[in-house]
Amino acid sequence: MLCLRKGAWRKKADLKKNLIQRLRTATGHLAAVEGMVEGEQYCIDILKQIAAVQASLSKVAYALADSHMKHCVRDAIEAGKGEPKVDELLETLKYLKHF
Amino acid sequence: MLCLRKGAWRKKADLKKNLIQRLRTATGHLAAVEGMVEGEQYCIDILKQIAAVQASLSKVAYALADSHMKHCVRDAIEAGKGEPKVDELLETLKYLKHF
Amino acid sequence: MLCLRKGAWRKKADLKKNLIQRLRTATGHLAAVEGMVEGEQYCIDILKQIAAVQASLSKVAYALADSHMKHCVRDAIEAGKGEPKVDELLETLKYLKHF
Amino acid sequence: MLCLRKGAWRKKADLKKNLIQRLRTATGHLAAVEGMVEGEQYCIDILKQIAAVQASLSKVAYALADSHMKHCVRDAIEAGKGEPKVDELLETLKYLKHF
């Protein structure tokens, strides 16, 4: 997972814990947004909370892309097979809201 | 909530149900993304699912902004108090990833 | 143009001048980016300048959307024909990079 | 420029020509947008053209990031100095509207 390099296990455990924590918080945040709609709160306040969740998800995506480039793409490049990995990453970034 | 106009109650119930359904689906989707990190799946697959959640949230934001403009902003304009409502909406859109 | 309301002529002249100034600056900036590619400057520096032009264009789009909502959409709403104007604006915002 | 690898000169000339062509077209497009404001055309039509310019700039940024990763970042990784290059690229992508 997260295509970490050998010898990077401690770093991997930290990243994994950090991502899970952030995703759990974002999931709770999103459930609270559902409660705001249920409770018929003001649209602008709901939109602001959606924006906050989107910002959290962008940070998670950023951390994942960072780790992916530093490990998986790096390994592929060192094995002389970097181009398809770069294509794959850039293609994926197209569909992500910018970081 | 959703600042709907009088006489728009049926429409309001539909919108509310629709938004809650979408947010619930997005929340479940996000919990599944957490499971993907936990299960150490491939970063690119995780990034694609984050992109899918962001796209769902953008659609919810779009529906909210649409309803807000057609009801709350409209009412404010008809009462001669439109400008602060427009300022507030545009300011909020700045922080939302584009629709 | 800019669908300004009657009685808003001074404001209109100011907005028009301001938008033209900003677009002219952005056009010059973009021509300079072309020069950077021609001169084979560092990709990251070129990317940063493209980001700066995009930020300028977003500000122009924001000012236009603001004026559009406060005049053209407002007039349509006051004439009881607001919905198609709101649909048209939201549809357009979808294709704009967020403000 | 464009940090192309040795032995990639033909490719480099093609990329450079392609980027310059696209930037020149975008610059002309932006000058035309200024003319639309000058000619007081409809805001929504102006916003659509700004969106088109932004889309063109995103494509240029995408091509640059692609080349940068396949040459400059690759070279840095092969020389054992990949991490700062990855950090620099990701930091820059933050400020670019998404591809």
Side-chain angles (χ1 to χ4, degrees), chain B residues 2 11 13 17 33 38-39 45 54 65 93:
Chain B
L2 309 176
K11 226 171 157 181
K17 212 166 91 180
V33 173
E38 185 65 68
D45 293 333
Q54 285 186 321
L93 292 182

Side-chain angles (χ1 to χ4, degrees), chain B residues 4-48:
Chain B
L4 288 174
R5 302 169 61 74
K6 283 167 208 74
W9 298 111
R10 187 195 305 274
K11 226 171 157 181
K12 176 182 170 177
D14 285 353
L15 175 64
K16 192 174 162 179
K17 212 166 91 180
N18 178 284
L19 292 175
I20 287 174
Q21 186 53 52
R22 290 204 219 186
L23 285 167
R24 198 164 296 168
T25 304
T27 304
H29 201 155
L30 204 48
V33 173
E34 188 192 318
M36 291 178 81
V37 174
E38 185 65 68
E40 307 200 353
Q41 292 190 36
Y42 185 44
C43 323
I44 292 292
D45 293 333
I46 300 174
L47 283 170
K48 281 179 184 165

Side-chain angles (χ1 to χ4, degrees), chain C residues 1 24 34 40 42 88, chain D residues 1 24 34 40 42 88:
Chain C
M1 168 257 194
R24 197 163 295 167
E34 189 192 318
E40 307 201 351
Y42 185 43
E88 183 189 54
Chain D
M1 168 260 195
R24 198 163 296 166
E34 189 191 317
E40 307 201 352
Y42 185 43
E88 181 189 57

